[in-house]
Amino acid sequence: MAQIARASKSAQKKVEYQKKQEEGGKKVVNWIFACLIILAVLFVIYSVYIVS
């Protein structure tokens, strides 16, 4: 019976860890996209400045 309880706790910890990792990964992806958008806007401004 104790092994089942330990296995259940282990599985629960694993699920919680996976959720935490997924949330962290989503934050990283959002930051990367935000940086890419900012860089694209800066590049457009730079291109307009060079052309004129």
Side-chain angles (χ1 to χ4, degrees):
M1 194 65 150
Q3 286 180 335
I4 294 172
R6 274 188 262 145
S8 176
K9 286 182 183 178
S10 176
Q12 185 179 7
K13 286 183 181 180
K14 186 176 182 180
V15 168
E16 289 174 8
Y17 179 75
Q18 286 177 341
K19 285 181 183 178
K20 188 176 179 181
Q21 287 292 97
E22 184 177 347
E23 290 172 3
K26 286 182 180 180
K27 285 183 182 180
V28 170
V29 169
N30 287 340
W31 273 103
I32 290 171
F33 279 126
C35 290
L36 287 174
I37 290 169
I38 291 169
L39 287 173
V41 169
L42 290 174
F43 180 72
V44 167
I45 292 170
Y46 172 75
S47 297
V48 169
Y49 176 74
I50 291 297
V51 170
S52 61

